[in-house]
Amino acid sequence: MEQLKQQIREHGIVLSAQVLKVDAFLNHQIDPALMQRIGAEFARRFAGQDIDKVVTIEVSGIAPALMTALALGVPLVFARKQQSLTLTGPLLTARVYSFTKQVESTIGIAASHLAAGERVLIVDDFLAHGQAAQGLISIVRQAGAEVAGIGIVIEKSFQPGRAELEQLGYRVESLARIASLEGGEVRFVD
Ligand code: G4P
Ligand code: NA
Ligand code: NA
């Protein structure tokens, strides 16, 4: 998606050979017009997949996932990372290990917000090692729902997340694929 790549070129900051900072439009300040286009693009790519629901994880997945859900005309559910006061009743959970933070955490979605047989599109802002996506897949499957696809805004293709998800048989659509961040420079796949 050319407009996204343009934003990354103009406003992305390479923090290391592993980490790209995009706080100017995605992870802190949010560009609503860009999010709207991202949502429309995911809706286009997954049209005909009979998506019933979009699922993401707080915090930074919510903006692109919300615009995707709006474009598809379906609800969005986000997994919580922390227990909420109002989150009562049965909870579907998964343990997620973060390579970036080197900590394991539990994510959860109330069982009442996912139904057996639903077709779910998972959306997230970044794909690195794929741990967040695999945690969401686990929760969707615990509900008896089906993962119809995975939409990623920025994929770091030099990390193993995409290959592992594809190995498991999932369709991954990434709007920007980064081949390398070496030398302080963003290089895209293709
Ligand atoms: P994984 O899910 O693909 O295995 O990734 P990992 O554990 O490494 O990611 C932990 C957090 O860091 C996630 O956000 C993820 O989106 C983010 N992240 C990973 N690589 C990058 C990167 O190169 N740039 C940026 N900006 N973020 C990256 P999080 O902790 O859940 O944060 P938030 O969504 O609550 O803001
Ligand atoms: Na993030
Ligand atoms: Na995220």
Side-chain angles (χ1 to χ4, degrees), residues 151-168:
I152 298 294
V153 180
I154 302 176
E155 170 191 312
K156 292 185 290 182
S157 308
F158 55 89
Q159 292 178 328
R162 185 200 184 92
E164 287 177 14
L165 293 170
E166 285 186 332
Q167 192 109 38
L168 293 169

Side-chain angles (χ1 to χ4, degrees), residues 18-23 27 57-61 81 97-101 124-133 156 159 181:
Q18 274 75 45
V19 179
L20 173 70
K21 177 169 167 166
V22 287
D23 280 13
N27 288 147
I57 180 167
E58 66 173 345
V59 174
S60 300
K81 292 174 181 164
Y97 179 75
S98 169
F99 287 90
T100 308
K101 297 175 177 168
D124 208 357
D125 58 335
F126 268 91
L127 177 59
H129 291 86
Q131 291 297 299
K156 292 185 290 182
Q159 292 178 328
L181 295 171

Side-chain angles (χ1 to χ4, degrees), residues 44-118:
R44 189 184 69 77
R45 293 193 191 197
F46 289 99
Q49 285 293 312
D50 290 317
I51 306 295
D52 295 305
K53 202 161 273 182
V54 176
V55 164
T56 189
I57 180 167
E58 66 173 345
V59 174
S60 300
I62 294 176
L66 176 63
M67 299 316 287
T68 305
L70 183 66
L72 286 168
V74 301
L76 162 67
V77 183
F78 66 89
R80 290 185 183 271
K81 292 174 181 164
Q82 252 142 35
Q83 189 65 44
S84 156
L85 181 67
T86 56
L87 205 56
T88 55
L91 199 60
L92 305 171
T93 63
R95 298 287 289 166
V96 172
Y97 179 75
S98 169
F99 287 90
T100 308
K101 297 175 177 168
Q102 300 200 321
V103 290
E104 199 180 37
S105 59
T106 301
I107 63 170
I109 292 179
S112 56
H113 295 309
L114 283 173
E118 282 182 331

Side-chain angles (χ1 to χ4, degrees), residues 1-13 20-22 24-27 31 33-39 41-42 45 64 124-127 151-156 173-178 186 188:
M1 187 180 163
E2 196 46 51
Q3 198 193 358
L4 172 63
K5 288 187 187 173
Q6 193 59 33
Q7 290 273 7
I8 293 171
R9 282 190 207 100
E10 280 179 23
H11 302 295
I13 297 169
L20 173 70
K21 177 169 167 166
V22 287
F25 61 90
L26 181 57
N27 288 147
D31 180 338
L34 179 66
M35 293 305 128
Q36 190 172 37
R37 289 206 171 195
I38 285 169
E41 179 62 16
F42 281 136
R45 293 193 191 197
D124 208 357
D125 58 335
F126 268 91
L127 177 59
I152 298 294
V153 180
I154 302 176
E155 170 191 312
K156 292 185 290 182
E173 290 285 340
S174 303
L175 303 187
R177 303 185 65 200
I178 294 177
V186 180
F188 293 102

Side-chain angles (χ1 to χ4, degrees), residues 132-150:
Q134 295 212 27
L136 292 175
I137 289 168
S138 165
I139 287 174
V140 169
R141 295 187 51 142
Q142 287 171 51
E146 191 183 339
V147 175
I150 300 166

